[in-house]
Structure formats: structure tokens, C-alpha cells
Amino acid sequence: MLKPPLSEITQTQANGHSNGLPVATVQSLIQQHLLPLQEHETVGLTDALNRILAIDIISPIHVPAYDNAAMDGYALRSADLSNHTNTKYQVVGLAVAGKKFNGEVQENQCIRIMTGAQMPDECNTVIPQELVTLQKIEEQEYIAFTSHHIQAGDNRRLKGEDLAKDKPALLAGKLLSPADLGLIASLGIAEVSVKRKLRVAFFSTGDELRSLGEALPEGCVYDSNRYTIQGMLQKMGVTPIDLGVVKDDPISLEATLREACKLADVILTSGGVSGGDADYTRTLMHKLGYVLFWKIAMRPGRPMAFGKITSGEDSAVLFGLPGNPVAVMVAFYFFVRPALYQLSGRSKTEIQPMQVTSAQAIRKKPGRTEYQRGILFMNEQGQQQVRITGSQGSGILSSMSEANCMVILQHDQGDIAAGASVEIIPFEGLL
Ligand code: AMP
Ligand code: MG
């Protein structure tokens, strides 16, 4: 899961960046060291949402399987269209979805056809019913139409136009969406081969932390990071393994790290990696494996550990996240999330940031990436703008709760004027 060893270069790269390593450098170092999971399993389609496709899906059929009508109307031969102005077309039959017209459509004849019904072989064009006048002459129906806009092939869906037989319909590495499930079903496929779910163990460290249900003595705080992390992991479709709160002591920490190695592919810890308190964590993590302690040029979330630890036969990729609640989320979204997808075997998909106008001036120091919590809104002129949530402290979790997007202020960027464009990533999309 992790290419050994994490090259010494990574440490060397850190030197010369007194302000910390640029975010992009850290992201690419992580990416270079991860090897995707190989194991597959087969699941039924109803269990496949948010799973990662392990093998390409090749279409066993054409979808649609036959040319069919895209609208309710009348199907005819396009050769008859050229002289249509004064032409009447004799209605010689009916095709509905699931029931084909069995006869033959001759010159200047047509059939009534409903959406989705199979086109007769001779016909290639559907005249929408709205454009048609119907006449009855001696018990026989005829249509006439005056539209000059009708062209050969109009309002017909072609066989295989959605998916062609023997062609890849979905590629391995795709995170399966509701649309994908429908698409797979349209091929008549009931089971798919997906990557095994990644197991991610996590725990919080800190003598001051209390779990829910416990009393809160002075100087203590409730552990919120475990809940945030659990939620973010669940949304990604990995298997979360909650290992609780661990005291700031080397023996408990070592025992928990060893247990996590046994249980999981990836370990996320929060707290205990900032400058002063990192010493024994550092010693211990080095004892168990190869771990780098990074100072990253970002705000929030400056300290982070990354590496691989081993206990007996077991090993796991480790992310030592900062303790502050907002820093945890930022580090998760911008380092852990892409790494988990990469380990899970998901094909690479960058989140596409959007550029929007900032409704306010924002102070920003060049030389670090800042992740501010933003609210994307529509102003009175109907233009999309973003403003920053009240307090941006790295411990202010309500700023994250209130926000609907992340505002990303780039490494080299300085102060932002009101009305200038900034990069954002919305929290929620449609899928
Ligand atoms: P640390 O990195 O351990 O020094 O923690 C930095 C700050 O984050 C301290 O104020 C901690 O109390 C706080 N913190 C650390 N872990 C958690 C947690 N699991 N839940 C809430 N706050 C935390
Ligand atoms: Mg701590």
C-alpha cells in the first residue's frame, strides 16, 4: 500500500522551506508513495453505490436494442418527405412500447407510434403528433402536416446510441454513482466487481479529551474530531473503525497504533503532532515504521505526520492529523481524502474548483495556502458571490458547520480586494 521507503528526499525537500512545505508538494509526495489496493469482491447492484468498479464493464448488448421513437407521433419513410406539402399519409397500424408493428409500411403510408416503440424497418422518421392533422375518409385514417422543419431521421433514437455492444460502458476505477447503477441495469447486469472497501481506523489523542456520556471537568473538552472523521469517512464509502480516545502516553499510544495496524489499511490520528508535544509521538512512530513529520505552509492545519507503520505482519499507512477541529477537516479534505481514493483504486479525478467573486476584502499572507470557510450565495443582482464565515480560528467548528464551501487562497496570493475572483470548492454537489 505504500512504496517503501518514503524516500529521504522528502525530508531534504522540507529543508529550505522554513515556512513549511507548500501544499502542492505534500500532495504530490503523498500521491507518489501510495499503491492502490488490489483485492476485489462481487456485489449486487443495489449494494454498489459509492463503490469503486474493479473491472471494466463491457456492454453485452446495444442500448437501445433497436431504433425507437423519441416522441408520440407517426412513423414514416423519409423518402416520402420531399413531396409532403400536399401529401396525405395513410395510417396503416400502431406500434407501442413493447409491441412492434408487424406489417410493412409502403410509400405514403405511416403508422401511429408511441415513445419508446420499435420503429418499423422501413421507417426512419417520426412526425410529432402535435404537428399532424388527422382526417378520416371512409373509415380510413390519414395524416397531413405542414411543418417544413421535419428532416429525415428526426425524433428517432438509434440502436446502440446510448451504449454500443462489446464497447466499454464503464471503466475500472469509477466511483459508482446512481446514474452508473441505472446504466449497468440497462445492460441487464445484476452484479459488479468492485474494489474491497478500504478499512480506516481512527482515534483521538489528548489527556484533555472526554468522550460523550462522560462528565466534563474544568480544562477538558469533548472529543469532536472522532465524529467529524467518522462522518467524512462514511461519506466516502470506506469502512470506519473507531478506536476511541487515547491518552497522551507512549504506552497507550503504541498499543493503539499496533491494534490499528492489525485492523486497518489506513490509520488516522488527531492531535499530538504539533511542535512541542510531538516528541514522544515522533520517537514512537519512528520505532514502529517510517513516518515523516511535516510542517506545511498552510492555514489551518500546519503540522501533519505521514508514513507507514508496521506491527508484526501488519502494516498501515498513517496520517497524523493536527488536533484543532477545523484543521482536522481541512487536512482530511485536501490530503487524506485524495489519498484514500487513490488507495481504494479510484481513477484520478481532481475536484474542479470554481472561480467566484468575493463579496468582501480578505486578508491573506503570501507564502502559504489558506483554506477559509465560505458561504456561496446569490446577490440581489442574481450573481454568485462568496463571503467568509464569521470567525476563521482553527478551533471554531461552527465556521465549518455554517459554511457551504471552502475558499482556497493560493500559496502565492496576497490580500484579496472586494470584487476580486477567488477559488472555491462547494461542499455539496448534485450526485
Ligand atoms: P494538539 O494538536 O493535540 O495540541 O491539539 C490542538 C488543539 O485541538 C487543542 O486545543 C486540543 O484540545 C484540540 N483537540 C485535539 N483533539 C481534539 C478532539 N479530538 N476534539 C476536539 N478538540 C481537540
Ligand atoms: Mg493534544
Side-chain angles (χ1 to χ4, degrees):
M1 298 269 282
L2 195 74
K3 286 179 208 160
L6 266 179
S7 89
E8 299 291 335
I9 301 166
T10 56
Q11 201 66 71
T12 320
Q13 275 175 337
N15 307 332
H17 286 283
S18 57
N19 202 18
L21 279 172
V23 166
T25 307
V26 172
Q27 284 168 330
S28 90
L29 285 173
I30 293 173
Q31 192 193 322
Q32 283 163 32
H33 284 94
L34 300 175
L35 292 172
L37 205 81
Q38 292 305 320
E39 297 109 295
H40 302 176
E41 62 193 35
T42 301
V43 296
L45 204 50
T46 48
D47 293 319
L49 185 66
N50 280 338
R51 300 298 300 269
I52 292 157
L53 195 61
I55 300 171
D56 294 352
I57 291 189
I58 307 296
S59 181
I61 54 171
H62 282 303
V63 179
Y66 41 81
D67 292 2
N68 67 85
M71 295 185 85
D72 291 346
Y74 294 84
L76 47 72
R77 302 144 34 126
S78 63
D80 296 349
L81 279 174
S82 47
N83 57 351
H84 73 261
T85 344
N86 292 314
T87 311
K88 281 204 272 290
Y89 299 83
Q90 186 186 6
V91 183
V92 295
L94 169 72
V96 296
K99 194 149 179 279
K100 195 184 172 187
F101 168 67
N102 276 326
E104 202 176 307
V105 181
Q106 314 271 353
E107 195 179 332
N108 288 349
Q109 293 185 335
C110 66
I111 61 159
R112 174 106 172 100
I113 195 162
M114 309 309 279
T115 306
Q118 185 164 0
M119 295 285 283
D121 294 341
E122 316 75 56
C123 297
N124 60 1
T125 305
V126 173
I127 316 299
Q129 60 187 21
E130 302 78 48
L131 299 184
V132 157
T133 46
L134 203 57
Q135 300 170 19
K136 215 168 207 179
I137 304 170
E138 296 169 0
E139 294 305 303
Q140 176 59 57
E141 279 186 332
Y142 293 86
I143 59 160
F145 52 92
T146 52
S147 171
H148 294 264
H149 303 300
I150 296 288
Q151 291 185 355
D154 276 0
N155 306 309
R156 169 197 52 168
R157 302 174 186 144
L158 283 174
K159 170 179 171 177
E161 76 173 20
D162 189 355
L163 301 164
K165 184 169 188 269
D166 299 328
K167 292 271 165 23
L170 289 175
L171 297 180
K174 179 118 180 26
L175 181 75
L176 295 174
S177 70
D180 297 329
L181 302 188
L183 188 148
I184 296 167
S186 77
L187 301 177
I189 296 173
E191 288 183 329
V192 284
S193 180
V194 294
K195 296 280 188 177
R196 162 167 87 63
K197 275 192 185 187
L198 204 65
R199 290 185 283 262
V200 184
F202 57 98
F203 57 88
S204 299
T205 67
D207 288 341
E208 79 284 21
L209 301 180
R210 292 295 174 272
S211 291
L212 299 184
E214 291 179 359
L216 195 66
E218 209 180 303
C220 291
V221 294
Y222 282 119
D223 171 14
S224 58
N225 289 346
R226 257 160 63 227
Y227 297 88
T228 313
I229 289 173
Q230 165 116 16
M232 293 187 292
L233 292 173
Q234 277 174 339
K235 270 212 146 181
M236 288 188 64
V238 301
T239 303
I241 303 169
D242 183 354
L243 297 180
V245 172
V246 177
K247 293 276 178 236
D248 282 322
D249 87 86
I251 293 170
S252 316
L253 191 58
E254 178 168 350
T256 313
L257 283 171
R258 286 189 186 280
E259 191 194 353
C261 258
K262 202 179 309 158
L263 298 173
D265 306 301
V266 180
I267 304 169
L268 308 180
T269 66
S270 75
V273 289
S274 51
D277 59 8
D279 281 354
Y280 74 83
T281 316
R282 198 179 295 250
T283 317
L284 178 61
M285 287 180 174
H286 281 321
K287 179 179 155 193
L288 294 182
Y290 190 94
V291 178
L292 294 168
F293 286 77
W294 278 323
K295 194 168 85 176
I296 307 173
M298 66 187 285
R299 200 170 126 139
R302 199 164 142 88
M304 191 174 82
F306 171 72
K308 177 185 173 171
I309 57 172
T310 304
S311 175
E313 298 283 284
D314 307 305
S315 66
V317 173
L318 173 87
F319 284 91
L321 304 179
N324 276 308
V326 179
V328 166
M329 295 194 77
V330 169
F332 186 97
Y333 283 134
F334 294 95
F335 301 111
V336 179
R337 185 179 180 277
L340 296 185
Y341 276 136
Q342 191 182 341
L343 287 168
S344 301
R346 183 180 179 185
S347 45
K348 210 169 167 215
T349 47
E350 304 285 353
I351 297 178
Q352 287 304 322
M354 296 161 50
Q355 293 285 338
V356 294
T357 303
S358 176
Q360 67 193 88
I362 309 173
R363 297 198 55 164
K364 160 74 172 60
K365 254 215 223 131
R368 68 184 185 204
T369 307
E370 286 191 19
Y371 297 93
Q372 304 219 355
R373 278 70 75 205
I375 297 174
L376 186 64
F377 67 100
M378 202 73 92
N379 71 6
E380 280 162 9
Q381 288 76 47
Q383 294 149 339
Q384 253 187 346
Q385 294 202 329
V386 69
R387 65 187 161 83
I388 300 300
T389 59
S391 174
Q392 293 287 319
S394 69
I396 313 272
L397 201 50
S398 58
S399 69
M400 202 74 193
S401 201
E402 196 187 331
N404 62 11
C405 68
M406 209 58 143
V407 181
I408 303 169
L409 306 176
Q410 301 296 343
H411 188 87
D412 295 325
Q413 207 162 5
D415 289 343
I416 285 101
S421 170
V422 286
E423 198 174 292
I424 68 148
I425 295 182
F427 286 157
E428 293 288 350
L430 197 57
L431 286 179

